[in-house]
Amino acid sequence: MEMVLQQRAAGGGCRLGPRPAASTAPVMAAASSAKHEQEQEEVKEAAAGPDAELRRGPWTVDEDLTLINYIAEHGEGRWNALARAAGLNRTGKSCRLRWLNYLRPDVKRGDFTADEQLLILDLHSRWGNRWSKIAAQLPGRTDNEIKNYWRTRVQKHAKQLNCDVNSARFKDAMRFLWMPRLAERAAAAQSSSSSASPAASLRQQAISGDGHGLGGSALMTANAGCFEMTTTNGADRSPSSVVTTTTSSSSPCSSRTSSGSTATVNNDDSYKAAAPAGGDDWAAIQQDQESWSTASNLQQLAAGGGDQQLLFPLADLPMMQDLSGWVQGFSEGATPETHQLWSLDDIWRMH
DNA sequence: AAACAACTCAACCGCAGAACC
DNA sequence: GGGTTCTGCGGTTGAGTTGTT
């Protein structure tokens, strides 16, 4: 434990020590409410204690151990009282944050798995910046971690694409380019698993292109080991693109979009393997995941294999009116007129 | 090797709502 | 019912790390 703590305390960037007075003074001066005055009083009071200045900045190993030991003995909660009782010259807030985001034994560290990333993208598309709500669906992950992930990775992609992270354009890119890619990686990582986790279900949906807050419709066909999705825009229902994936690595399927772009994903059989063994867990998954309306469709698809056509509604598909234009945004200088064929791998390499 | 830029992430802040007195 | 305190959330910051020139 000590070793871990030392490593943790040594690594990572963070604020060091109290902020310069210059940065806090204007805030203090502007704070006129009684509440703020009270809070300032608390800080002063704590600072005025026996050789006690309220500590800020990175936690030391000793502080971590003190907090861990105290919580192990007395439990968590009542953070202000806890901070005082434990002898930590910290605010209750600081103690709570340190415990929840870092010291809790069940906090999972390290990079997000593809499944986790997929889940984050999906949940954020539904709930927005409800970080704690999203974190609740990812055991061991904290809202802070997810928030950081979103800001550093996802917003970076949006910036690179020169569009707003909340724009329909970017959401479409996530759904049709990023999420299938993540699903592919997640499936590859768990090809031997037959779990019926929400993430496994999500992988299927990412492959199928199903999503939330998007419109038009998508026709998904399972044919001889190939998943074929034909999307239509909401207005005229005419096919605007075809994205085909295959479950057979030896016989890749590909189809050209109406405007000339092709997206091909070579998958393994893990998408089928992701179906629950018993078969009735799909309803539970669907219920658990609220509006995952395609769960039963996917069950049929995963179980049946043969020729099936599954039609599921989407709300709005602005991107699909010109998928090639969007795909073009990932490349440099390509135009629809060139009719160049891009695989998703190509697209992501360019990206 | 040095300088700079970009990225990461722990920790902070203000605010709102819940809980308590 | 009203004031105070506590808790939790989302947004922001900036030191340290990593990558690039």
Side-chain angles (χ1 to χ4, degrees):
Chain A
M1 169 65 89
E2 178 116 8
M3 210 162 169
V4 172
L5 288 174
Q6 281 170 349
Q7 286 173 342
R8 286 175 173 181
C14 51
R15 291 181 183 177
L16 283 173
R19 280 182 165 181
S23 68
T24 53
V27 177
M28 298 263 191
S32 56
S33 72
K35 189 179 168 185
H36 278 139
E37 285 170 8
Q38 176 64 36
E39 283 175 356
Q40 289 169 38
E41 279 305 311
E42 281 179 18
V43 172
K44 284 179 192 168
E45 196 178 316
D51 70 1
E53 192 164 310
L54 207 55
R55 275 187 53 78
R56 296 164 68 182
W59 280 64
T60 66
V61 176
D62 283 344
E63 285 178 313
D64 282 345
L65 287 172
T66 301
L67 184 56
I68 289 169
N69 289 335
Y70 188 89
I71 289 175
E73 200 170 334
H74 301 94
E76 56 182 282
R78 305 280 301 173
W79 293 103
N80 283 334
L82 184 153
R84 280 191 293 269
L88 290 160
N89 292 325
R90 297 269 184 177
T91 64
K93 261 186 173 183
S94 181
C95 294
R96 174 184 165 271
L97 203 68
R98 183 64 178 173
W99 175 252
L100 293 179
N101 286 348
Y102 208 81
L103 298 176
R104 241 182 343 151
D106 58 333
V107 169
K108 200 194 286 181
R109 321 282 321 165
D111 292 341
F112 285 103
T113 64
D115 263 347
E116 286 174 323
Q117 293 177 58
L118 197 53
L119 203 49
I120 291 169
L121 295 183
D122 179 68
L123 295 178
H124 187 276
S125 73
R126 279 188 271 163
W127 296 334
N129 296 358
R130 302 288 305 280
W131 307 118
S132 60
K133 193 174 179 180
I134 294 171
Q137 306 301 316
L138 288 124
R141 298 297 188 178
T142 68
D143 56 349
N144 210 32
E145 209 175 0
I146 293 168
K147 188 166 55 181
N148 281 334
Y149 168 77
W150 186 265
R151 288 189 59 81
T152 57
R153 314 284 169 76
V154 181
Q155 290 194 350
K156 185 182 77 178
H157 281 299
K159 194 178 173 185
Q160 286 172 344
L161 293 172
N162 200 27
C163 60
D164 187 85
V165 74
N166 293 315
S167 67
R169 194 162 176 256
F170 184 69
K171 285 175 181 172
D172 286 342
M174 278 200 305
R175 183 181 152 208
F176 290 102
L177 297 176
W178 198 349
M179 292 178 77
R181 176 77 168 188
L182 284 171
E184 192 183 358
R185 281 169 44 199
Q190 299 187 10
S191 59
S192 60
S193 162
S194 61
S195 76
S197 65
S201 176
L202 240 188
R203 283 201 294 276
Q204 298 241 18
Q205 293 181 66
I207 290 297
S208 77
D210 184 23
H212 309 274
L214 301 172
S217 68
L219 181 67
M220 188 165 169
T221 307
N223 190 352
C226 293
F227 290 175
E228 180 175 286
M229 182 184 73
T230 305
T231 59
T232 65
N233 65 37
D236 59 19
R237 295 295 192 194
S238 61
S240 57
S241 73
V242 176
V243 177
T244 303
T245 69
T246 173
T247 56
S248 165
S249 58
S250 59
S251 57
C253 301
S254 68
S255 293
R256 186 183 286 242
T257 66
S258 60
S259 51
S261 299
T262 294
T264 301
V265 182
N266 296 321
N267 302 314
D268 54 27
D269 284 336
S270 56
Y271 297 122
K272 285 187 178 178
D280 359 327
D281 288 336
W282 288 96
I285 292 169
Q286 186 175 354
Q287 196 169 9
D288 285 346
Q289 302 305 323
E290 295 173 8
S291 59
W292 291 11
S293 58
T294 61
S296 59
N297 287 347
L298 289 165
Q299 179 188 13
Q300 293 173 27
L301 190 65
D307 291 355
Q308 300 174 59
Q309 284 202 329
L310 307 168
L311 185 64
F312 50 94
L314 304 171
D316 178 27
L317 271 178
M319 162 201 170
M320 301 317 291
Q321 294 167 9
D322 186 11
L323 178 65
S324 65
W326 176 248
V327 170
Q328 184 189 340
F330 286 82
S331 62
E332 288 178 2
T335 67
E337 287 70 31
T338 64
H339 291 276
Q340 182 165 2
L341 305 183
W342 301 107
S343 72
L344 279 183
D345 276 343
D346 291 334
I347 293 166
W348 281 99
R349 264 196 295 275
M350 290 185 282
H351 190 36

